[in-house]
Amino acid sequence: MSDRSLQITMKEEDSVLFKRCVRKLLESTFLLEEKDEKLYRFAARESNRYEISQYLKFMGFDILVDEKSGVAMLVANEEDEETVGLKRANVITFNTLQYHLLLALWEVYLENLGYEEGNFVTRGDLIDKIKSYGVYPASTDLKSSFKLFKKYNLIDFDENETGEEANIQLYPSLQFGWDVPQFRTVAEEYIKTSSVEEGEEPDSEFEEESQ
């Protein structure tokens, strides 16, 4: 690896936004246009994105912006992905239940696309959707999973509202919150279950759709 130097030049009034963007990315992985519009727009601007990228690369990270989804995200720097001893601090290993929940959340998100005032689902409707797949999570597991998803800007909700009518906001970052091998395993389970219910032979492979 070649030597690196870091020289960041920006206006004084931009330095605070720069620091907030970097801290937010390191804390929760995602910056969302619909939640953190000011920070997202700052990070998405090409010149600022370059400066943030240069800074993050010193820690083995980088920034990726998906303008279509309005999502800026922390990713591993390609040059350091295979470096021994660098822990990928923004990678969380979800358990099987949490992946089932993510699939249900993403399906509901896609079903609700097109609404102008955000993408929401009630807690009761989401639980019904999860149960329709034959998954019956305990309330404690749901609570801990939802708090984890909220921390990483995948969903948002008022933690003081716990009834069936409580709203959960779904964010486009849901599509990026996957570890591909584990996603394939869980998706294959859904495909097999669906095929058996319809009286079809289950497929042996799951083909990942390109983003």
Short mmCIF file of all heavy atoms in Angstrom, two decimals, residues 144-169:
data_model
loop_
_atom_site.label_atom_id
_atom_site.label_comp_id
_atom_site.label_asym_id
_atom_site.label_seq_id
_atom_site.Cartn_x
_atom_site.Cartn_y
_atom_site.Cartn_z
N SER A 144 -36.00 -5.97 21.11
CA SER A 144 -34.55 -5.81 20.96
C SER A 144 -34.14 -5.68 19.50
O SER A 144 -33.23 -4.91 19.17
CB SER A 144 -33.83 -7.01 21.61
OG SER A 144 -34.19 -8.22 20.98
N SER A 145 -34.83 -6.40 18.61
CA SER A 145 -34.51 -6.32 17.19
C SER A 145 -34.85 -4.96 16.63
O SER A 145 -34.07 -4.35 15.88
CB SER A 145 -35.27 -7.41 16.41
OG SER A 145 -34.87 -8.69 16.81
N PHE A 146 -36.03 -4.45 16.99
CA PHE A 146 -36.44 -3.14 16.49
C PHE A 146 -35.52 -2.03 16.99
O PHE A 146 -35.22 -1.09 16.26
CB PHE A 146 -37.89 -2.85 16.90
CG PHE A 146 -38.91 -3.65 16.14
CD1 PHE A 146 -40.24 -3.67 16.54
CD2 PHE A 146 -38.56 -4.38 15.03
CE1 PHE A 146 -41.19 -4.40 15.84
CE2 PHE A 146 -39.49 -5.13 14.32
CZ PHE A 146 -40.82 -5.13 14.73
N LYS A 147 -35.06 -2.15 18.24
CA LYS A 147 -34.14 -1.14 18.77
C LYS A 147 -32.82 -1.16 18.00
O LYS A 147 -32.22 -0.11 17.73
CB LYS A 147 -33.89 -1.39 20.26
CG LYS A 147 -35.06 -1.02 21.15
CD LYS A 147 -34.73 -1.17 22.63
CE LYS A 147 -33.73 -0.15 23.09
NZ LYS A 147 -33.49 -0.19 24.55
N LEU A 148 -32.36 -2.36 17.64
CA LEU A 148 -31.13 -2.49 16.87
C LEU A 148 -31.30 -1.88 15.48
O LEU A 148 -30.43 -1.14 14.99
CB LEU A 148 -30.72 -3.95 16.76
CG LEU A 148 -29.42 -4.26 16.03
CD1 LEU A 148 -28.24 -3.63 16.76
CD2 LEU A 148 -29.22 -5.75 15.87
N PHE A 149 -32.43 -2.16 14.83
CA PHE A 149 -32.69 -1.62 13.51
C PHE A 149 -32.80 -0.09 13.55
O PHE A 149 -32.37 0.58 12.61
CB PHE A 149 -33.99 -2.20 12.93
CG PHE A 149 -33.96 -3.69 12.73
CD1 PHE A 149 -35.14 -4.41 12.61
CD2 PHE A 149 -32.77 -4.39 12.67
CE1 PHE A 149 -35.14 -5.78 12.42
CE2 PHE A 149 -32.74 -5.77 12.47
CZ PHE A 149 -33.93 -6.46 12.36
N LYS A 150 -33.38 0.42 14.61
CA LYS A 150 -33.50 1.87 14.76
C LYS A 150 -32.12 2.50 14.93
O LYS A 150 -31.84 3.56 14.35
CB LYS A 150 -34.39 2.20 15.96
CG LYS A 150 -34.56 3.70 16.20
CD LYS A 150 -35.49 3.97 17.37
CE LYS A 150 -35.65 5.47 17.61
NZ LYS A 150 -36.59 5.77 18.73
N LYS A 151 -31.27 1.87 15.71
CA LYS A 151 -29.92 2.40 15.95
C LYS A 151 -29.17 2.59 14.63
O LYS A 151 -28.44 3.57 14.46
CB LYS A 151 -29.15 1.45 16.87
CG LYS A 151 -27.70 1.88 17.09
CD LYS A 151 -26.95 0.89 17.97
CE LYS A 151 -25.49 1.30 18.12
NZ LYS A 151 -24.72 0.34 18.94
N TYR A 152 -29.37 1.66 13.70
CA TYR A 152 -28.65 1.71 12.43
C TYR A 152 -29.48 2.32 11.31
O TYR A 152 -29.23 2.06 10.13
CB TYR A 152 -28.14 0.32 12.06
CG TYR A 152 -26.98 -0.09 12.95
CD1 TYR A 152 -27.19 -0.87 14.08
CD2 TYR A 152 -25.70 0.37 12.70
CE1 TYR A 152 -26.14 -1.20 14.93
CE2 TYR A 152 -24.64 0.04 13.53
CZ TYR A 152 -24.87 -0.74 14.64
OH TYR A 152 -23.83 -1.06 15.48
N ASN A 153 -30.46 3.14 11.67
CA ASN A 153 -31.23 3.93 10.70
C ASN A 153 -31.91 3.09 9.62
O ASN A 153 -31.99 3.50 8.46
CB ASN A 153 -30.34 4.99 10.04
CG ASN A 153 -30.26 6.27 10.85
OD1 ASN A 153 -31.09 6.51 11.72
ND2 ASN A 153 -29.27 7.08 10.56
N LEU A 154 -32.40 1.91 10.00
CA LEU A 154 -33.18 1.09 9.08
C LEU A 154 -34.67 1.38 9.25
O LEU A 154 -35.43 1.34 8.27
CB LEU A 154 -32.91 -0.40 9.33
CG LEU A 154 -31.45 -0.84 9.19
CD1 LEU A 154 -31.29 -2.30 9.58
CD2 LEU A 154 -30.96 -0.62 7.75
N ILE A 155 -35.08 1.68 10.47
CA ILE A 155 -36.46 2.03 10.78
C ILE A 155 -36.45 3.12 11.84
O ILE A 155 -35.40 3.42 12.42
CB ILE A 155 -37.28 0.82 11.29
CG1 ILE A 155 -36.70 0.30 12.62
CG2 ILE A 155 -37.32 -0.30 10.24
CD1 ILE A 155 -37.52 -0.80 13.27
N ASP A 156 -37.63 3.67 12.13
CA ASP A 156 -37.76 4.63 13.22
C ASP A 156 -39.14 4.47 13.85
O ASP A 156 -40.11 4.11 13.16
CB ASP A 156 -37.58 6.06 12.72
CG ASP A 156 -37.29 7.04 13.85
OD1 ASP A 156 -37.00 6.58 14.97
OD2 ASP A 156 -37.36 8.25 13.61
N PHE A 157 -39.22 4.71 15.14
CA PHE A 157 -40.49 4.58 15.84
C PHE A 157 -40.36 5.22 17.22
O PHE A 157 -39.25 5.47 17.70
CB PHE A 157 -40.90 3.11 15.99
CG PHE A 157 -39.89 2.26 16.73
CD1 PHE A 157 -39.96 2.07 18.11
CD2 PHE A 157 -38.84 1.66 16.04
CE1 PHE A 157 -39.02 1.31 18.78
CE2 PHE A 157 -37.90 0.89 16.70
CZ PHE A 157 -37.99 0.72 18.07
N ASP A 158 -41.50 5.50 17.84
CA ASP A 158 -41.53 6.04 19.18
C ASP A 158 -41.50 4.87 20.16
O ASP A 158 -42.43 4.06 20.21
CB ASP A 158 -42.81 6.87 19.38
CG ASP A 158 -42.85 7.59 20.72
OD1 ASP A 158 -42.11 7.18 21.65
OD2 ASP A 158 -43.64 8.54 20.86
N GLU A 159 -40.42 4.77 20.93
CA GLU A 159 -40.26 3.63 21.83
C GLU A 159 -41.28 3.63 22.97
O GLU A 159 -41.43 2.62 23.65
CB GLU A 159 -38.84 3.61 22.39
CG GLU A 159 -37.78 3.39 21.32
CD GLU A 159 -36.38 3.23 21.88
OE1 GLU A 159 -36.26 2.73 23.02
OE2 GLU A 159 -35.41 3.61 21.19
N ASN A 160 -41.98 4.74 23.16
CA ASN A 160 -43.01 4.80 24.20
C ASN A 160 -44.35 4.26 23.71
O ASN A 160 -45.26 4.05 24.51
CB ASN A 160 -43.18 6.23 24.70
CG ASN A 160 -41.95 6.75 25.42
OD1 ASN A 160 -41.33 6.02 26.19
ND2 ASN A 160 -41.57 7.99 25.15
N GLU A 161 -44.47 4.05 22.41
CA GLU A 161 -45.71 3.52 21.85
C GLU A 161 -45.50 2.04 21.52
O GLU A 161 -44.67 1.70 20.68
CB GLU A 161 -46.11 4.29 20.59
CG GLU A 161 -46.44 5.75 20.86
CD GLU A 161 -46.88 6.47 19.60
OE1 GLU A 161 -47.07 5.82 18.56
OE2 GLU A 161 -47.05 7.70 19.67
N THR A 162 -46.25 1.17 22.17
CA THR A 162 -46.04 -0.27 22.01
C THR A 162 -47.29 -1.01 21.56
O THR A 162 -47.27 -2.23 21.41
CB THR A 162 -45.56 -0.89 23.34
OG1 THR A 162 -46.53 -0.60 24.37
CG2 THR A 162 -44.21 -0.30 23.75
N GLY A 163 -48.40 -0.29 21.35
CA GLY A 163 -49.64 -0.94 20.93
C GLY A 163 -49.62 -1.35 19.47
O GLY A 163 -48.71 -0.99 18.71
N GLU A 164 -50.63 -2.08 19.04
CA GLU A 164 -50.70 -2.57 17.67
C GLU A 164 -50.83 -1.46 16.65
O GLU A 164 -50.47 -1.63 15.48
CB GLU A 164 -51.86 -3.56 17.52
CG GLU A 164 -51.65 -4.88 18.25
CD GLU A 164 -52.70 -5.91 17.88
OE1 GLU A 164 -53.64 -5.56 17.14
OE2 GLU A 164 -52.56 -7.07 18.31
N GLU A 165 -51.35 -0.30 17.06
CA GLU A 165 -51.54 0.81 16.13
C GLU A 165 -50.32 1.73 16.06
O GLU A 165 -50.34 2.72 15.32
CB GLU A 165 -52.77 1.63 16.54
CG GLU A 165 -54.08 0.86 16.47
CD GLU A 165 -54.33 0.26 15.09
OE1 GLU A 165 -54.13 1.00 14.10
OE2 GLU A 165 -54.69 -0.91 15.00
N ALA A 166 -49.29 1.42 16.82
CA ALA A 166 -48.07 2.24 16.79
C ALA A 166 -47.43 2.18 15.41
O ALA A 166 -47.31 1.11 14.81
CB ALA A 166 -47.08 1.76 17.85
N ASN A 167 -47.04 3.34 14.90
CA ASN A 167 -46.43 3.42 13.57
C ASN A 167 -44.93 3.15 13.60
O ASN A 167 -44.23 3.60 14.51
CB ASN A 167 -46.67 4.80 12.96
CG ASN A 167 -47.98 4.87 12.20
OD1 ASN A 167 -48.45 3.88 11.65
ND2 ASN A 167 -48.58 6.05 12.17
N ILE A 168 -44.46 2.43 12.60
CA ILE A 168 -43.04 2.20 12.39
C ILE A 168 -42.70 2.75 11.02
O ILE A 168 -43.32 2.39 10.02
CB ILE A 168 -42.70 0.70 12.45
CG1 ILE A 168 -43.03 0.13 13.83
CG2 ILE A 168 -41.22 0.47 12.12
CD1 ILE A 168 -42.86 -1.37 13.93
N GLN A 169 -41.74 3.67 10.96
CA GLN A 169 -41.33 4.24 9.68
C GLN A 169 -40.22 3.39 9.09
O GLN A 169 -39.26 3.02 9.76
CB GLN A 169 -40.85 5.68 9.85
CG GLN A 169 -40.52 6.35 8.51
CD GLN A 169 -40.32 7.85 8.63
OE1 GLN A 169 -40.28 8.38 9.73
NE2 GLN A 169 -40.20 8.52 7.50
#
